[in-house]
Every structure is written in structure tokens, then in C-alpha cells.
């Protein structure tokens, strides 16, 4: 730092000592300061300046970001004067560490240049002030201002960053407000249980009858969008489990009206299936034998042993498990290998065009053969045409569902089996 040597201080530029210039601003207790800079000469000069100012107290000095964080965690200074470009992570690392270990410490960044990007990064990382090395006349006053909870920024960098910083803050405010509204929207659905269920029939292709139904969530609130987007947003906001639990509880209530002899498939992500709330909710229901839990989600499961343990009690009561989206990605195949499900559901992306795409037909054939070998039933979902239905029947698929066979219906009448017009839909 030019001009800082020996016992000289920043106040020399104005012809008076730092103490004389700050006479009217002295606090009862001196402001405790940590200095972090990798330049020995600069660090020593600043340390001597602070030590010579009775309104300030030098707490400790550091030569890199890690040392600054370690010392701050023990001493909790009022102000930390942090060099932006020092080793082991620089000012950004030091600022982040100080925010965690000593959140009350005010950070004053110090740099050898008015690098706009560095200025913005430091201010956005928690610094409340930014000075350029060589701007000596305001150093002590800036430390004092920061110690009082005010901001401090060198004139030569202020003009170039204030506008951009304001833009960053405005965008941050907009993002924060957007998140708040999104959370509020999901919480309204959760608290008011604003979910309805529709039921799509699942046909037994060998018996020619309706074997069960899949409960599908529908959302009536704004914005108007598909259920997968509602659940994806909830997971993004940390509310995925809460929303799924509400949907599952509503589906379980509706399942009580399902005719005897039919199973009811209910969707749950592995993340929800791992929770105690899920186990208690599903395990407490009567008629567990007619429940099928469809494990959704394309992402891989981190701990299959934990998921297996979580599902064991309800499977012991007769609840069956289906793995969804088989053929759509690697995650579903891992689910099959680890969980040994009762059902494997062929994904709609595999069924679409299966009658004209030899590669899709070959993959579906391999999955069906594998399922037969391990004693697992196969369900083809997304059947929308007669040729698709013919293909999966020729493959020996056990069950099927889709618009060609029956659309989702909000009502579960007692004569659902007869109402399904099963034999006509199957061409029998």
C-alpha cells in the first residue's frame, strides 16, 4: 500500500492525526480489527496504523484466507480488513468463512486494483465496504464507519459498480419474491388439500378384465399445468415430501371406494417412501393387500438398503411395489435390481411407436423376458392405439393401461369392472 510505512498513518494526507480527525466519533470501546493480507509490508503497515489509533484495537493478523477464518472463529473481531487476492481462496473464501464462523464481523475488502468483478463478488459475498490500496486517507475512517454499521467504498470504484450492484440486488429481490410466491402457492395446496384424484383402469390382458386402477393427482389451482410440474416445483422448493404426502393421503381415502378385487396403484417418489410419515400413513390403512406403491422419479436412489428397510413393513402387510418408467433410463433398472418389485411398468416413451420401431420392440421384449424370469408382472402404460396393444399382447405383457383402453375418471362406481367395456377395448 503506497504511503503506508513505519508509523505513518492514513491521516497524514489531511495534516492531522487519525485520532484528531476522529475525535467526535470515538466509541467507549475501541473497534476490534482483524487484518488479513499476504503482503508482509502492507500487513505490517496497516497493523501499525491500527495500533497507533486509540479508537481501534488490533486483534490479530493473517496471511491467507484460511488463517483469517481460523483467527476470526476464535477472536470474533468487529471488523475484518480482507485482502481480495490473498492465497487459499482469496477474499471470497474468507468472506464466506467469516459469515459462517463470525456472522457479526463486518467485512471491509481491500484490493490493489478497482477490479469491478472483484468488487461485485466481494460485496455480494457479504463485504460492506471496498477500498483500493493506496487510498490511504480514508482507511481509518472507513474502518470506523464499517464498525458503526455503515458502508464504505472508494470513490474510484463506486461509480463503476453501484449501478451494477443495484441491478444484482434488484434481481436478487425479484428472485426472492418469486420464490416466496411459489412457496405460498404450494403451501396453499398442501394446507387446503387442493388435489383431486382421477382413476385410470389397468387391464389384465390374459383374463380380459379390469385388474386395478392408478390414482392420478390433478391440480385445479393456478397456474394451469400438468401434475409433474407441480410436484417438480414442490421438490425444488423443499416441499416435495409434504405435497406427496397430501396427495397420497387423498388417494388412500378415495381407494376405500374401489370395488373389491381391484388393486389401487398410488405414486410415491423414493424420497417420500423413505420417510416415517409415509410408512405410518400407508401402514395404518386397512386393505393393504389391494395397494400398489408405484415408485416414480428418474433420479438414482442413493441408499437402496434404507429404501428396502423402509418398504419392508408395508410390504409385510401385503402392499405391493411397482417400479415406474422402465425403459426410460438407467435409474428405473437399478430400482428393479435392488427392490425386486411385484410390477415393472414399461414407460410411455418405450410404448410410443413400439409397433413401428424394432429397437423399442426389442427392448420391451428383453424387459418382459427378464421380468418373467424373476417372477415379476409387467404393465405397459401409454397404450393409445390398437397396434400398440397388439404388440404388447404378443410380447406376453401382463397388464396394460392407456387412453385406448380407458381414460382417467374422477368417479369409481361400484360397477366399474362392467363399465370398463373390457372385452370390447381388448378386441375380444
Amino acid at each position: 500500500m503506497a504511503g503506508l510505512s513505519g508509523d505513518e498513518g492514513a491521516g497524514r494526507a489531511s495534516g492531522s492525526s487519525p485520532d484528531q480527525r476522529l475525535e467526535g466519533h470515538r466509541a467507549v470501546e475501541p473497534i476490534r480489527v482483524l487484518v488479513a493480507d499476504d503482503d508482509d509490508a502492507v500487513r505490517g503497515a496497516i497493523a501499525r496504523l491500527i495500533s497507533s489509533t486509540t479508537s481501534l484495537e488490533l486483534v490479530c493478523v493473517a496471511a491467507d484466507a484460511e488463517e483469517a477464518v481460523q483467527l476470526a472463529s476464535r477472536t470474533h473481531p468487529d471488523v475484518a480488513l480482507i485482502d481480495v487476492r490473498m492465497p487459499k481462496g482469496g477474499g471470497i473464501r474468507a468472506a464466506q468463512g467469516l459469515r459462517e464462523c463470525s456472522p457479526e464481523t463486518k467485512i471491509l475488502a481491500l484490493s490493489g486494483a478497482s477490479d469491478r468483478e472483484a468488487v461485485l463478488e466481494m460485496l455480494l459475498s457479504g463485504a460492506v465496504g471496498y477500498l483500493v490500496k493506496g487510498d490511504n486517507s480514508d482507511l481509518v475512517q472507513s474502518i470506523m464507519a464499517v464498525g458503526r454499521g455503515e458502508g464504505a467504498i472508494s470513490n474510484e470504484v463506486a461509480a463503476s459498480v453501484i449501478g451494477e450492484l443495484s441491478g444484482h440486488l434488484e434481481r436478487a429481490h425479484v428472485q426472492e419474491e418469486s420464490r416466496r410466491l411459489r412457496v405460498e402457492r404450494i403451501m396453499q395446496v398442501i394446507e387446503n388439500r387442493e388435489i383431486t384424484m382421477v382413476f385410470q383402469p389397468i387391464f389384465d390382458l390374459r383374463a380380459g378384465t379390469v385388474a386395478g386402477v392408478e390414482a392420478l393427482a390433478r391440480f385445479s389451482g393456478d397456474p394451469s399445468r400438468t401434475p409433474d410440474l407441480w410436484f417438480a416445483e414442490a421438490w425444488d422448493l423443499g416441499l416435495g415430501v409434504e405435497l406427496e404426502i397430501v396427495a397420497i393421503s387423498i388417494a388412500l381415502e378415495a381407494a376405500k371406494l374401489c370395488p373389491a378385487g381391484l388393486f389401487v396403484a398410488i405414486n410415491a417418489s423414493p424420497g417420500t417412501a423413505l420417510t416415517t410419515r409415509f410408512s405410518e400413513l400407508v401402514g395404518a390403512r386397512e386393505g393393504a393387500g389391494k395397494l400398489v406403491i408405484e415408485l416414480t422419479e428418474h433420479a438414482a436412489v442413493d441408499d437402496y438398503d434404507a429404501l428396502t428397510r423402509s418398504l419392508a413393513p408395508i410390504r409385510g402387510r401385503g402392499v405391493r411395489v411397482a417400479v415406474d418408467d422402465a425403459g426410460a433410463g438407467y435409474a428405473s433398472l437399478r430400482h428393479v435390481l435392488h427392490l425386486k418389485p411385484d410390477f415393472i411398468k414399461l414407460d410411455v416413451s418405450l410404448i410410443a411407436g413400439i409397433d413401428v420401431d424394432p429397437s423399442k420392440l426389442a427392448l420391451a421384449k428383453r424387459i418382459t423376458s427378464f421380468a418373467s424370469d424373476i417372477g415379476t408382472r409387467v404393465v405397459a402404460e401409454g397404450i393409445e392405439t390398437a397396434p400398440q396393444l397388439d404388440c404388447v399382447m404378443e410380447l406376453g405383457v401382463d397388464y396394460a393401461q392407456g387412453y385406448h383402453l380407458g381414460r382417467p375418471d374422477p368417479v369409481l362406481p361400484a360397477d366399474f369392472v362392467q363399465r370398463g367395456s373390457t372385452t370390447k377395448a381388448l378386441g375380444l
Side-chain angles (χ1 to χ4, degrees):
M1 176 180 285
L4 281 180
S5 61
D7 292 329
E8 294 181 359
R12 302 291 175 144
S14 63
S16 60
S17 70
D19 285 347
Q20 290 172 330
R21 294 167 62 206
L22 297 171
E23 185 67 34
H25 301 286
R26 245 181 230 146
V28 175
E29 296 291 336
I31 295 174
R32 304 170 65 252
V33 184
L34 175 152
V35 177
D37 196 302
D38 64 318
D39 188 312
D40 292 340
V42 172
R43 188 172 65 248
I46 296 175
R48 287 189 291 271
L49 174 62
I50 291 172
S51 297
S52 68
T53 305
T54 57
S55 301
L56 305 176
E57 177 188 342
L58 181 65
V59 176
C60 50
V61 295
D64 58 55
E66 289 185 5
E67 186 180 14
V69 174
Q70 292 172 359
L71 291 173
S73 67
R74 295 199 298 266
T75 61
H76 301 287
D78 300 311
V79 176
L81 189 62
I82 300 296
D83 179 25
V84 174
R85 302 298 183 188
M86 62 184 168
K88 298 187 178 179
I92 301 297
R93 168 70 183 91
Q96 293 170 344
L98 262 67
R99 288 174 62 184
E100 293 178 3
C101 73
S102 186
E104 298 303 317
T105 299
K106 307 295 191 300
I107 299 170
L108 180 57
L110 186 66
S111 175
S114 57
D115 182 342
R116 183 174 66 178
E117 182 178 346
V119 176
L120 286 169
E121 286 182 352
M122 286 301 296
L123 295 177
L124 293 171
S125 295
V128 296
Y130 192 104
L131 299 179
V132 175
K133 295 180 181 180
D135 187 9
N136 307 332
S137 60
D138 290 334
L139 180 60
V140 174
Q141 285 188 327
S142 296
I143 295 174
M144 295 291 292
V146 169
R148 295 192 300 268
E150 302 170 9
I153 188 166
S154 293
N155 291 333
E156 61 187 283
V157 299
S160 65
V161 301
I162 292 300
E164 191 167 347
L165 180 60
S166 297
H168 275 281
L169 295 175
E170 178 63 24
R171 286 193 293 275
H173 174 73
V174 170
Q175 292 171 355
E176 182 180 345
E177 179 64 11
S178 173
R179 180 182 176 83
R180 185 189 67 78
L181 292 174
R182 291 166 63 208
V183 168
E184 186 176 278
R185 182 168 58 211
I186 297 295
M187 286 303 301
Q188 178 178 322
V189 173
I190 293 172
E191 292 171 359
N192 298 333
R193 298 171 64 86
E194 296 177 356
I195 300 175
T196 57
M197 287 292 153
V198 294
F199 304 89
Q200 186 170 39
I202 300 173
F203 290 87
D204 184 327
L205 297 182
R206 291 187 175 84
T209 59
V210 175
V213 295
E214 180 179 359
L216 301 167
R218 294 293 182 264
F219 297 81
S220 57
D222 292 328
S224 178
R225 56 184 176 175
T226 56
D228 61 310
L229 294 180
W230 279 97
F231 285 110
E233 181 177 55
W235 280 104
D236 182 55
L237 296 170
L239 297 170
V241 171
E242 287 77 3
L243 186 62
E244 283 196 19
I245 288 294
V246 169
I248 291 168
S249 66
I250 293 172
L252 290 172
E253 287 298 318
K256 295 177 180 179
L257 303 176
C258 191
L262 301 188
F263 64 79
V264 179
I266 296 172
N267 292 282
S269 69
T272 297
L274 278 166
T275 66
T276 302
R277 292 170 62 189
F278 170 82
S279 300
E280 293 176 348
L281 180 63
V282 176
R285 295 288 170 168
E286 295 296 328
K290 71 176 184 179
L291 292 179
V292 175
I293 300 300
E294 286 194 19
L295 291 176
T296 60
E297 188 179 295
H298 294 273
V301 174
D302 294 328
D303 190 341
Y304 277 103
D305 289 340
L307 182 57
T308 300
R309 288 193 300 271
S310 180
L311 292 172
I314 62 173
R315 294 186 86 169
R317 296 192 66 241
V319 175
R320 289 173 287 177
V321 171
V323 166
D324 207 0
D325 307 324
Y330 181 59
S332 60
L333 296 180
R334 283 175 57 88
H335 291 355
V336 172
L337 292 174
H338 287 276
L339 299 175
K340 299 177 176 56
D342 303 282
F343 300 91
I344 297 174
K345 299 195 73 173
L346 300 180
D347 187 67
V348 293
S349 64
L350 182 60
I351 298 302
I354 192 173
D355 54 313
V356 294
D357 189 333
S359 61
K360 289 186 176 183
L361 182 62
L363 178 56
K365 183 176 182 180
R366 298 296 184 276
I367 295 175
T368 302
S369 176
F370 171 73
S372 177
D373 290 343
I374 64 174
T376 298
R377 302 295 182 89
V378 176
V379 182
E381 56 182 349
I383 300 292
E384 296 188 351
T385 68
Q388 290 173 358
L389 179 61
D390 291 340
C391 276
V392 299
M393 291 183 72
E394 289 176 8
L395 288 176
V397 169
D398 303 285
Y399 302 97
Q401 67 184 100
Y403 281 8
H404 178 67
L405 298 171
R407 289 179 174 270
D409 195 318
V411 180
L412 274 174
D415 61 342
F416 187 83
V417 177
Q418 289 75 25
R419 185 171 175 269
S421 302
T422 309
T423 54
K424 182 179 179 180
L426 297 178
L428 300 176

